[in-house]
Coordinates of all heavy atoms in Angstrom, one line a residue:
M25 N -10.6 -11.0 -13.5 CA -9.3 -11.0 -12.9 C -9.4 -10.5 -11.4 O -8.6 -10.8 -10.6 CB -8.3 -10.2 -13.7 CG -8.5 -8.7 -13.8 SD -7.3 -7.9 -14.7 CE -7.5 -8.6 -16.3
F26 N -10.4 -9.6 -11.2 CA -10.4 -9.0 -9.8 C -10.9 -10.1 -8.8 O -10.8 -9.9 -7.6 CB -11.4 -7.8 -9.8 CG -10.7 -6.6 -10.2 CD1 -10.9 -6.0 -11.5 CD2 -9.8 -6.0 -9.4 CE1 -10.3 -4.9 -11.9 CE2 -9.1 -4.8 -9.8 CZ -9.4 -4.3 -11.1
N28 N -9.4 -12.9 -8.5 CA -8.2 -13.6 -8.2 C -7.0 -12.7 -8.5 O -6.1 -13.1 -9.3 CB -8.1 -14.9 -8.9 CG -7.2 -15.9 -8.3 OD1 -6.5 -15.6 -7.3 ND2 -7.2 -17.1 -8.7
P29 N -6.9 -11.6 -7.8 CA -5.8 -10.6 -8.1 C -4.4 -11.2 -7.8 O -3.5 -10.8 -8.5 CB -6.1 -9.4 -7.2 CG -7.0 -9.9 -6.1 CD -7.8 -11.0 -6.7
V30 N -4.3 -12.1 -6.8 CA -3.0 -12.6 -6.5 C -2.5 -13.4 -7.7 O -1.3 -13.3 -8.1 CB -3.0 -13.5 -5.3 CG1 -1.7 -14.1 -5.0 CG2 -3.5 -12.7 -4.1
W31 N -3.3 -14.2 -8.3 CA -2.9 -15.0 -9.4 C -2.5 -14.2 -10.6 O -1.5 -14.4 -11.2 CB -4.1 -15.9 -9.9 CG -3.8 -16.8 -11.1 CD1 -4.1 -16.4 -12.4 CD2 -3.2 -18.0 -11.2 NE1 -3.7 -17.4 -13.2 CE2 -3.1 -18.4 -12.5 CE3 -2.6 -18.9 -10.2 CZ2 -2.5 -19.6 -12.9 CZ3 -2.1 -20.1 -10.6 CH2 -2.0 -20.4 -12.0
H32 N -3.3 -13.1 -10.9 CA -3.0 -12.3 -12.1 C -1.7 -11.4 -11.8 O -1.0 -11.2 -12.8 CB -4.2 -11.4 -12.4 CG -5.3 -12.2 -13.0 ND1 -5.3 -12.7 -14.2 CD2 -6.5 -12.6 -12.4 CE1 -6.5 -13.4 -14.5 NE2 -7.2 -13.3 -13.4
A33 N -1.5 -11.0 -10.6 CA -0.3 -10.3 -10.3 C 0.9 -11.2 -10.5 O 1.9 -10.7 -11.2 CB -0.3 -9.7 -8.9
L34 N 0.9 -12.4 -10.0 CA 2.0 -13.3 -10.2 C 2.2 -13.8 -11.6 O 3.3 -14.2 -12.0 CB 1.9 -14.5 -9.2 CG 2.0 -14.1 -7.7 CD1 1.6 -15.3 -6.8 CD2 3.5 -13.7 -7.4
E35 N 1.1 -13.8 -12.4 CA 1.2 -14.2 -13.8 C 1.8 -13.2 -14.7 O 2.2 -13.4 -15.8 CB -0.2 -14.7 -14.3 CG -0.6 -16.0 -13.8 CD 0.0 -17.1 -14.7 OE1 -0.5 -17.3 -15.9 OE2 1.0 -17.7 -14.3
T36 N 1.7 -11.9 -14.2 CA 2.1 -10.8 -15.1 C 3.2 -9.9 -14.5 O 4.3 -10.3 -14.5 CB 0.8 -10.0 -15.4 OG1 0.2 -9.5 -14.2 CG2 -0.2 -10.8 -16.2
R37 N 2.8 -8.8 -14.0 CA 3.8 -7.7 -13.6 C 4.6 -8.1 -12.4 O 5.7 -7.5 -12.2 CB 3.0 -6.4 -13.3 CG 2.4 -5.8 -14.6 CD 1.6 -4.6 -14.3 NE 2.4 -3.5 -13.7 CZ 1.9 -2.4 -13.3 NH1 0.6 -2.1 -13.4 NH2 2.6 -1.5 -12.7
Q38 N 4.2 -9.0 -11.6 CA 5.0 -9.4 -10.4 C 5.5 -10.8 -10.4 O 5.8 -11.4 -9.4 CB 4.2 -9.1 -9.1 CG 3.9 -7.6 -9.0 CD 3.1 -7.2 -7.8 OE1 2.1 -7.9 -7.5 NE2 3.5 -6.2 -7.1
R39 N 5.7 -11.3 -11.6 CA 6.2 -12.7 -11.8 C 7.5 -12.9 -11.2 O 7.9 -14.0 -10.8 CB 6.2 -13.0 -13.3 CG 6.3 -14.5 -13.5 CD 6.3 -14.9 -15.0 NE 6.4 -16.3 -15.2 CZ 5.4 -17.1 -15.3 NH1 4.1 -16.7 -15.1 NH2 5.5 -18.4 -15.5
R40 N 8.3 -11.8 -11.0 CA 9.6 -12.0 -10.4 C 9.6 -12.4 -9.0 O 10.6 -12.9 -8.4 CB 10.4 -10.6 -10.5 CG 9.8 -9.5 -9.7 CD 10.5 -8.2 -10.1 NE 10.0 -7.1 -9.3 CZ 8.9 -6.4 -9.5 NH1 8.1 -6.8 -10.5 NH2 8.6 -5.4 -8.7
F41 N 8.4 -12.2 -8.3 CA 8.3 -12.6 -6.9 C 7.7 -14.0 -6.8 O 7.5 -14.5 -5.7 CB 7.4 -11.7 -6.2 CG 7.9 -10.2 -6.2 CD1 7.1 -9.2 -6.6 CD2 9.2 -9.9 -5.7 CE1 7.6 -7.9 -6.5 CE2 9.6 -8.6 -5.6 CZ 8.8 -7.6 -6.1
F51 N 3.6 -15.8 -3.6 CA 4.7 -14.8 -3.4 C 5.7 -15.5 -2.5 O 5.4 -16.2 -1.6 CB 4.2 -13.5 -2.8 CG 3.5 -12.6 -3.7 CD1 2.1 -12.6 -3.8 CD2 4.2 -11.7 -4.5 CE1 1.4 -11.8 -4.7 CE2 3.5 -10.9 -5.4 CZ 2.1 -10.9 -5.4
V55 N 8.3 -11.8 0.9 CA 7.7 -10.7 0.1 C 6.3 -10.5 0.6 O 5.9 -9.3 0.9 CB 7.7 -11.0 -1.4 CG1 6.9 -9.9 -2.2 CG2 9.1 -11.1 -1.9
A56 N 5.4 -11.5 0.6 CA 4.0 -11.4 1.0 C 3.4 -12.7 1.3 O 3.7 -13.7 0.6 CB 3.2 -10.6 -0.1
M85 N -7.5 -15.3 -2.0 CA -8.6 -14.4 -2.2 C -9.6 -15.1 -3.2 O -9.3 -15.9 -4.0 CB -8.1 -13.1 -2.7 CG -7.2 -12.4 -1.8 SD -6.5 -10.8 -2.5 CE -8.0 -9.8 -2.6
T156 N 8.3 -6.8 1.4 CA 7.1 -6.2 0.8 C 7.4 -4.9 0.1 O 6.8 -4.5 -0.9 CB 6.0 -6.1 1.8 OG1 5.8 -7.3 2.4 CG2 4.7 -5.5 1.2
E158 N 9.6 -4.1 -1.8 CA 10.0 -4.2 -3.2 C 8.8 -4.3 -4.2 O 9.0 -4.2 -5.4 CB 10.8 -5.5 -3.4 CG 12.1 -5.6 -2.6 CD 12.9 -6.9 -2.8 OE1 12.6 -7.6 -3.8 OE2 13.7 -7.2 -1.9
M159 N 7.6 -4.4 -3.7 CA 6.5 -4.6 -4.5 C 6.0 -3.3 -5.2 O 5.3 -3.3 -6.2 CB 5.3 -5.2 -3.7 CG 5.6 -6.6 -3.2 SD 4.3 -7.3 -2.2 CE 3.1 -7.8 -3.5
G160 N 6.4 -2.1 -4.7 CA 6.0 -0.9 -5.3 C 6.6 0.3 -4.5 O 7.5 0.2 -3.7
T161 N 6.0 1.5 -4.7 CA 6.4 2.7 -4.1 C 5.7 2.9 -2.7 O 4.5 2.6 -2.6 CB 6.1 3.9 -5.0 OG1 6.9 3.8 -6.2 CG2 6.5 5.2 -4.3
Y162 N 6.5 3.3 -1.7 CA 5.9 3.6 -0.4 C 6.3 5.0 0.0 O 7.4 5.5 -0.2 CB 6.4 2.5 0.6 CG 5.7 1.2 0.5 CD1 6.2 0.3 -0.5 CD2 4.6 0.9 1.2 CE1 5.5 -0.9 -0.6 CE2 3.9 -0.3 1.1 CZ 4.4 -1.2 0.1 OH 3.7 -2.4 0.0
G176 N 1.5 2.4 0.6 CA 2.2 2.1 -0.6 C 1.5 1.2 -1.6 O 0.2 1.1 -1.6
E177 N 2.2 0.5 -2.4 CA 1.6 -0.3 -3.5 C 2.0 -1.8 -3.2 O 3.1 -2.2 -2.8 CB 2.2 0.1 -4.8 CG 1.9 1.5 -5.1 CD 2.7 2.1 -6.3 OE1 3.8 1.5 -6.6 OE2 2.4 3.1 -6.8
R178 N 1.0 -2.7 -3.5 CA 1.2 -4.1 -3.3 C 1.0 -4.8 -4.7 O 1.8 -4.8 -5.5 CB 0.3 -4.7 -2.2 CG 0.6 -6.1 -1.8 CD -0.1 -6.5 -0.6 NE -1.5 -6.4 -0.7 CZ -2.4 -6.7 0.3 NH1 -1.9 -7.1 1.5 NH2 -3.7 -6.6 0.2
F179 N -0.2 -5.4 -4.9 CA -0.5 -6.2 -6.1 C -0.5 -5.2 -7.3 O -1.0 -4.1 -7.3 CB -1.8 -6.9 -6.1 CG -1.9 -7.8 -4.9 CD1 -3.1 -7.9 -4.2 CD2 -0.8 -8.6 -4.4 CE1 -3.2 -8.7 -3.1 CE2 -0.9 -9.4 -3.3 CZ -2.2 -9.5 -2.6
A180 N 0.0 -5.7 -8.5 CA 0.0 -4.9 -9.7 C -0.2 -5.9 -10.9 O 0.5 -6.9 -11.0 CB 1.3 -4.2 -9.9
F181 N -1.2 -5.6 -11.7 CA -1.5 -6.4 -12.9 C -2.2 -5.5 -13.9 O -3.0 -4.7 -13.6 CB -2.3 -7.6 -12.6 CG -3.5 -7.4 -11.8 CD1 -4.7 -7.1 -12.4 CD2 -3.4 -7.4 -10.4 CE1 -5.8 -6.9 -11.6 CE2 -4.5 -7.1 -9.6 CZ -5.8 -6.9 -10.2
D182 N -1.9 -5.7 -15.2 CA -2.5 -4.9 -16.3 C -2.3 -3.4 -15.9 O -1.2 -3.0 -15.6 CB -3.9 -5.2 -16.5 CG -4.1 -6.6 -17.0 OD1 -3.2 -7.2 -17.6 OD2 -5.2 -7.2 -16.8
R183 N -3.3 -2.6 -15.9 CA -3.2 -1.2 -15.6 C -3.4 -1.0 -14.1 O -3.3 0.2 -13.6 CB -4.2 -0.4 -16.4 CG -3.8 -0.2 -17.9 CD -4.9 0.7 -18.5 NE -4.9 2.0 -18.0 CZ -5.9 2.9 -18.1 NH1 -7.0 2.5 -18.7 NH2 -5.8 4.1 -17.5
Y184 N -3.7 -2.0 -13.4 CA -4.2 -1.8 -12.0 C -3.0 -1.9 -11.0 O -2.1 -2.8 -11.1 CB -5.2 -2.9 -11.6 CG -6.5 -2.8 -12.5 CD1 -6.6 -3.6 -13.6 CD2 -7.4 -1.8 -12.2 CE1 -7.7 -3.5 -14.4 CE2 -8.6 -1.7 -13.0 CZ -8.7 -2.6 -14.1 OH -9.8 -2.5 -14.9
V185 N -3.0 -1.0 -10.0 CA -2.1 -1.1 -8.9 C -2.9 -0.9 -7.6 O -3.7 0.0 -7.5 CB -1.0 0.0 -9.0 CG1 -0.1 0.0 -7.8 CG2 -0.2 -0.1 -10.3
E186 N -2.6 -1.8 -6.7 CA -3.3 -1.9 -5.4 C -2.6 -1.0 -4.4 O -1.4 -1.1 -4.2 CB -3.4 -3.3 -4.9 CG -4.1 -3.4 -3.6 CD -3.8 -4.6 -2.8 OE1 -2.6 -5.1 -2.9 OE2 -4.7 -5.1 -2.1
I187 N -3.4 -0.1 -3.8 CA -2.8 0.7 -2.6 C -3.0 -0.2 -1.4 O -4.1 -0.7 -1.1 CB -3.6 2.0 -2.5 CG1 -3.3 2.9 -3.7 CG2 -3.2 2.7 -1.2 CD1 -4.1 4.2 -3.8
S188 N -1.9 -0.3 -0.6 CA -1.9 -1.2 0.5 C -1.0 -0.7 1.6 O -0.3 0.4 1.4 CB -1.5 -2.6 0.1 OG -1.6 -3.5 1.2
H213 N -0.4 7.4 -9.7 CA -1.1 6.4 -10.6 C -1.7 7.2 -11.8 O -1.6 6.7 -12.9 CB -2.1 5.7 -9.8 CG -1.6 4.7 -8.8 ND1 -2.4 4.0 -8.0 CD2 -0.3 4.5 -8.4 CE1 -1.6 3.3 -7.1 NE2 -0.3 3.6 -7.4
W218 N -2.1 4.6 -14.6 CA -2.6 3.4 -13.9 C -3.9 3.6 -13.2 O -4.3 4.7 -13.0 CB -1.6 3.0 -12.8 CG -0.2 2.6 -13.3 CD1 0.1 2.2 -14.6 CD2 1.0 2.7 -12.6 NE1 1.5 2.0 -14.7 CE2 2.1 2.3 -13.5 CE3 1.4 3.0 -11.3 CZ2 3.4 2.2 -13.1 CZ3 2.7 3.0 -10.9 CH2 3.7 2.6 -11.8
L219 N -4.6 2.5 -12.9 CA -5.9 2.6 -12.2 C -5.6 2.1 -10.8 O -5.0 1.1 -10.5 CB -6.9 1.7 -12.9 CG -7.2 2.1 -14.3 CD1 -8.2 1.1 -14.9 CD2 -7.8 3.5 -14.4
S220 N -6.2 2.8 -9.8 CA -6.0 2.5 -8.4 C -7.1 1.6 -7.8 O -8.3 1.9 -8.1 CB -5.9 3.8 -7.6 OG -5.0 4.7 -8.1
C221 N -6.7 0.6 -7.0 CA -7.6 -0.2 -6.3 C -7.1 -0.5 -4.9 O -5.9 -0.2 -4.6 CB -7.9 -1.5 -7.1 SG -6.5 -2.6 -7.3
L222 N -7.9 -1.1 -4.1 CA -7.5 -1.5 -2.8 C -8.4 -2.5 -2.2 O -9.5 -2.7 -2.7 CB -7.4 -0.3 -1.8 CG -8.6 0.6 -1.6 CD1 -9.5 0.0 -0.5 CD2 -8.2 2.0 -1.1
H223 N -8.0 -3.2 -1.1 CA -8.8 -4.2 -0.4 C -8.8 -3.8 1.1 O -7.8 -3.4 1.6 CB -8.2 -5.6 -0.7 CG -8.3 -6.0 -2.1 ND1 -7.2 -5.8 -3.0 CD2 -9.2 -6.7 -2.8 CE1 -7.5 -6.3 -4.1 NE2 -8.7 -6.8 -4.1

Side-chain angles (χ1 to χ4, degrees):
M25 69 179 60
F26 278 105
N28 201 348
V30 176
W31 176 267
H32 289 288
L34 289 170
E35 280 278 281
T36 57
R37 292 175 58 184
Q38 294 178 318
R39 195 176 181 90
R40 66 191 183 280
F41 300 126
F51 282 95
V55 175
M85 298 176 66
T156 304
E158 297 178 23
M159 298 179 74
T161 297
Y162 284 84
E177 300 165 342
R178 188 170 60 180
F179 306 139
F181 50 91
D182 296 336
R183 288 182 63 199
Y184 299 97
V185 178
E186 180 201 33
I187 293 175
S188 184
H213 294 178
W218 298 336
L219 300 177
S220 306
C221 62
L222 58 81
H223 296 90

